[in-house]
Amino acid sequence: MKSKLVLHNTLSRTREEFVPYDPPFVGLYVCGPTVYGEPHLGHARSAITFDVLFRYLKYSGYRVRYVRNITDVGHLQNDADEGEDKIAVKARLEQLEPMEIAHYYTESYHRAMDALGVLSPSIEPRASGHIIEQIELIKRIFEHGFAYENNGSVYFDVEAYDRRHNYGRLSGRTLDETVAGTRTLDGQDEKRAPYDFALWKKAAPEHIMHWPSPWSEGFPGWHLECSAMSTKYLGERFDIHGGGMDLMFPHHECEIAQSVAASGHDAARYWMHNNMITMEGRKMGKSLGNAISLSEFFAGSHPLLQQSYSPMTIRFFILQAHYRSTLDFSNEALQAAEKGLDRLMKAVATIGKIKPAAASTVDVTALERDFREAMDDDINSPVAMAVLFEWVKVINQLHDGAGTISAADLATLKQTMEQIVGDVLGLRDEGAASNDSLIAPLVEMALEAR
RNA sequence: GGUCUGAUGGCCGAGCGGUUAGGCAGAGGUCUGCAAAACCUCGUACAGCGGUUCGAUUCCGCUUCAGACCUCCA
């Protein structure tokens, strides 16, 4: 654990040395999916990014509690309309219970994550199971004077908050800019200011998901769950908060405001944001209608896909780019990833076929050293992969008889390589029999959906 | 309109003030009975225009283009 991990902190916009509050313990919170639709490539990017961070922190000797939520209450689509809940809308359309939908897509998400080799987090709390905690949080915000009630709904008073603290620190905007960016002023809104956001919404009669509260029968606001659940499981102060860049504003900004309003100080110390996956240069997303679901990738059942792509190919593809860069999807890039992965995994297997010699012509300690150096540099997975490929070449050379390696070094090489590839990067050999059973239900589902 | 980010060889994608990123594709070669695999060799990429500098793809300015956020979104 003597690594000097450096992370890019969105809050400071700089690279900072990672120093946990209470080493060797690390608290990590990442925004999980809203389970109202099929998980797509974008979900994979976020999950894999923080899965590798989780794995690398553990590899570095930290004891990590990783919390990743499931949003099953849904978020408001538009605060200008009646407060439609995404999950409720879909439920009505399909004549299902909201929780049935949430459960279905949660299962789907879990299957996809298993296939992708994404480890289960330490805790995976659901928003619907933490209504009480969210109500308590609202009360605290009320007590500190940063909330107001109107007609059964409770709103966060951004202006009052901004006078004492700085609203917009994370996304780098001022309140004035936020005002300027507000598009339509919804006439008879209950909010005092357009940038105020809901902490509790009174449920309209047609709204299916609702819970009792001191203010009304209703449901919690968009940003509350993460504040409530991170505090509950990681404490008022924890180390890292992650999520997609698209969540930076308003979601994470509001989270910070809620935490500070309730406790007087920041909750998370390091904010990390993974960038988007693009398709022909445009963000891939459900709302844009250009998202390809993970099961479609596994089955090859989307019109834009020339073939099926295995979960490990997807993982390798994502790892080949730095998490803060956009990553452009294409069949060509995926096919390149598929072949690269194959070569890497073959080389790992080749280690076992190398015959040891009396002395080594290679320095096996360089592998781990160089790998760590890359990972310590803001989780630079593409460089880490390049290090791996240097060793792919060395392994093949040794196997071909160009150079020699001692028995001890060979054992070290094997162990290190397997640890890095398998335990830290989470890549497994797809030849393994277990793989088919992991994606079979997903493939079936994707094919049925056609 | 406001805020911000990016533009790297055929594709994907790192990086840095002067030295090979890496993967895939392509060319030549070695090995092999053929093939495959593997290995060796090969590409004078850094949007354009200025500036700073002994030297810039890397720093600064401008231009063009692209994208993200400002509404739910990984």
Side-chain angles (χ1 to χ4, degrees), chain A residues 21-301:
Chain A
Y21 278 114
D22 182 23
F25 301 100
V26 173
L28 169 64
Y29 187 93
V30 174
C31 292
T34 301
V35 282
Y36 72 101
E38 279 302 314
H40 56 74
L41 240 203
H43 293 103
R45 165 98 112 151
S46 177
I48 288 169
T49 294
F50 293 104
D51 181 55
V52 169
L53 175 66
F54 179 40
R55 287 164 175 270
Y56 186 62
L57 286 170
K58 289 199 291 186
Y59 176 72
S60 300
Y62 292 110
R63 294 183 56 190
V64 188
R65 180 177 295 162
Y66 175 20
V67 180
R68 188 187 61 208
N69 67 298
I70 293 279
T71 298
D72 59 353
V73 171
H75 287 170
L76 292 173
Q77 282 192 339
N78 186 340
D79 54 347
D81 68 37
E82 291 307 289
E84 289 276 42
D85 183 309
K86 271 188 175 176
I87 289 174
V89 168
K90 188 133 192 179
R92 235 166 299 154
L93 288 174
E94 301 184 3
Q95 302 288 310
L96 291 167
E97 271 298 314
M99 273 305 159
E100 202 176 346
I101 305 260
H103 181 259
Y104 177 86
Y105 288 122
T106 301
E107 291 290 294
S108 180
Y109 180 75
H110 284 156
R111 274 196 292 265
M113 291 307 119
D114 286 347
L116 288 167
V118 172
L119 298 175
S120 184
S122 319
I123 302 176
E124 191 174 52
R126 291 153 198 256
S128 64
H130 296 76
I131 302 295
I132 291 169
E133 287 82 352
Q134 297 182 66
I135 290 172
E136 289 305 310
L137 183 59
I138 296 173
K139 286 182 184 166
R140 287 187 68 188
I141 295 172
F142 244 119
E143 284 164 17
H144 290 88
F146 297 116
Y148 59 90
E149 183 192 348
N150 190 350
N151 191 30
S153 292
V154 181
Y155 296 97
F156 189 93
D157 190 339
V158 172
E159 214 168 279
Y161 174 82
D162 192 56
R163 278 199 294 274
R164 297 268 298 280
H165 307 96
N166 179 7
Y167 182 78
R169 277 151 55 212
L170 182 68
S171 55
R173 37 188 113 201
T174 65
L175 203 54
D176 288 343
E177 287 162 6
T178 307
V179 176
T182 306
R183 277 170 183 163
T184 47
L185 285 165
D186 22 8
Q188 73 283 59
D189 201 0
E190 297 165 338
K191 297 192 290 186
R192 288 181 190 164
Y195 38 69
D196 288 350
F197 54 91
L199 297 172
W200 188 265
K201 266 293 224 186
K202 182 179 175 180
E206 67 273 21
H207 198 95
I208 304 176
M209 293 180 113
H210 49 81
W211 293 266
S213 81
W215 311 283
S216 66
E217 184 78 12
F219 53 96
W222 324 260
H223 315 298
L224 210 57
E225 56 174 282
C226 290
S227 293
M229 297 189 296
S230 62
T231 303
K232 173 161 185 174
Y233 298 112
L234 298 174
E236 273 192 9
R237 295 177 202 269
F238 59 93
D239 300 296
I240 306 172
H241 189 128
M245 266 184 187
D246 49 352
L247 297 179
M248 215 160 94
F249 189 93
H251 183 60
H252 291 157
E253 200 70 76
C254 294
E255 248 188 271
I256 290 176
Q258 288 166 346
S259 298
V260 174
S263 70
H265 61 257
D266 274 347
R269 188 148 164 188
Y270 302 88
W271 283 85
M272 293 175 71
H273 290 96
N274 64 278
N275 213 134
M276 304 291 102
I277 288 189
T278 59
M279 184 163 219
E280 288 162 353
R282 294 196 163 267
K283 175 181 164 182
M284 184 183 275
K286 174 138 185 128
S287 53
L288 299 168
N290 64 348
I292 303 176
S293 79
L294 291 165
S295 51
E296 283 172 331
F297 273 102
F298 303 157
S301 65

Side-chain angles (χ1 to χ4, degrees), chain A residues 382-414:
Chain A
V383 169
M385 301 278 270
V387 170
L388 248 30
F389 274 97
E390 279 172 33
W391 282 86
V392 165
K393 188 186 272 193
V394 171
I395 288 163
N396 286 325
Q397 284 170 338
L398 289 168
H399 184 239
D400 284 0
T404 60
I405 186 166
S406 70
D409 281 352
L410 185 59
T412 303
L413 176 61
K414 186 173 191 318

